[in-house]
Amino acid sequence: MSDKQSKQTTENFEQQAQEAAQQEAAKEAAEKAAEQALGSDEQPETQQQTAAAADNQADRIAELELALTKAEAKVNEQKESVLRTQAEMENVRRRASQDVEKAHKFALEKFANELLTSVDNLERAMQAADTDNAELKNFLEGIELTYKSLTSTLEKFGVKAVGEEGEVFNPDLHQAMSMQESAEHKNNTIIAVMQKGYELNGRLLRPAMVMVARNSNGGVDTKA
């Protein structure tokens, strides 16, 4: 082969190599452009997916917060219900205790009222008896002992006499049967007791029937 032919062959190889390199570069450029275009096409979809996921998460958080608020409200409602129930039970217990206490205190009310008639009769018998009669001395002593024993027993069970001479008239405890002018006593003072009154553990069984002093300073309230 001549030098001319050898040179021509070398040039052909170089030209082919350059063309191949250009084709390869163009191919790579096309692939890169395609990748960029593909990436550009996928980006909006990815952003939409991300935004949708964020929205779903926000909605889920809102649902959980709402559920938590409802649960807390339910717990508070149940707590209030329990407190109300406890308060009602305490009120029932206190009322029951008060009823039992009152029942214990005033269970003898009717019985005591019946006994007061016997006490009145014994008092009248002692007042009407002839204390100068020696033959009645033992009889009167027996009446007095019976009277003291009966009143002592009543006192043990909370029955107390009210209405004594010299006390200030109290319409809650006394019933004024009459009024009398008296310069020796203060106005509204009890000067005589016709019938003793009694109370049971602070509750009035019956008012005392009394005579009340009245002087020039004024009268007296006789309401019982």
Side-chain angles (χ1 to χ4, degrees):
M1 183 181 293
S2 64
D3 295 335
K4 185 176 180 180
Q5 290 177 341
S6 177
K7 183 178 180 181
Q8 184 66 38
T9 301
T10 302
E11 290 178 352
N12 290 337
F13 283 149
E14 289 178 352
Q15 185 177 359
Q16 290 177 358
Q18 289 178 354
E19 290 177 355
Q22 290 176 352
Q23 291 178 356
E24 185 67 23
K27 182 179 179 181
E28 290 179 357
E31 289 178 354
K32 188 173 183 180
E35 289 178 357
Q36 290 178 351
L38 181 60
S40 177
D41 293 339
E42 291 180 350
Q43 185 175 5
E45 183 178 356
T46 303
Q47 291 177 349
Q48 291 177 357
Q49 292 176 350
T50 303
D55 291 340
N56 291 335
Q57 185 176 8
D59 292 341
R60 181 57 178 167
I61 291 174
E63 291 177 0
L64 293 174
E65 289 178 346
L66 180 60
L68 178 60
T69 301
K70 290 182 178 180
E72 290 177 347
K74 186 66 175 178
V75 170
N76 292 332
E77 181 181 353
Q78 291 177 348
K79 286 181 178 179
E80 292 178 358
S81 177
V82 170
L83 291 176
R84 285 195 300 269
T85 301
Q86 290 178 343
E88 290 175 0
M89 292 178 62
E90 180 63 22
N91 290 334
V92 171
R93 186 197 64 77
R94 184 170 58 253
R95 286 195 296 268
S97 178
Q98 291 174 349
D99 291 341
V100 171
E101 183 179 358
K102 289 180 180 178
H104 288 163
K105 283 186 176 180
F106 306 117
L108 297 176
E109 184 172 352
K110 292 183 179 180
F111 181 66
N113 276 318
E114 294 296 329
L115 287 182
L116 293 182
T117 302
S118 299
V119 173
D120 294 338
N121 291 333
L122 291 174
E123 288 180 347
R124 295 190 187 98
M126 290 187 296
Q127 292 172 358
D130 184 3
T131 57
D132 294 333
N133 190 337
E135 295 179 358
L136 297 177
K137 182 178 180 181
N138 292 334
F139 177 72
L140 290 175
E141 288 178 353
I143 293 177
E144 290 177 357
L145 289 175
T146 302
Y147 173 78
K148 290 180 180 180
S149 176
L150 182 56
T151 54
S152 177
T153 300
L154 289 173
E155 288 177 358
K156 288 180 181 179
F157 288 92
V159 180
K160 178 183 176 183
V162 295
E164 298 289 342
E165 292 183 13
E167 291 182 354
V168 177
F169 178 80
N170 183 352
D172 293 330
L173 300 176
H174 310 135
Q175 181 178 356
M177 304 304 294
S178 64
M179 293 177 289
Q180 182 174 330
E181 295 285 348
S182 175
E184 298 177 358
H185 299 86
K186 293 182 179 180
N187 197 47
N188 292 347
T189 300
I190 297 174
I191 58 177
V193 179
M194 289 80 164
Q195 185 183 68
K196 288 183 178 181
Y198 288 89
E199 60 182 9
L200 173 61
N201 292 316
R203 176 189 289 182
L204 188 66
L205 293 176
R206 74 180 191 192
M209 298 180 181
V210 298
M211 179 185 294
V212 184
R214 181 180 63 183
N215 53 43
S216 58
N217 293 330
V220 61
D221 183 1
T222 59
K223 294 182 180 180

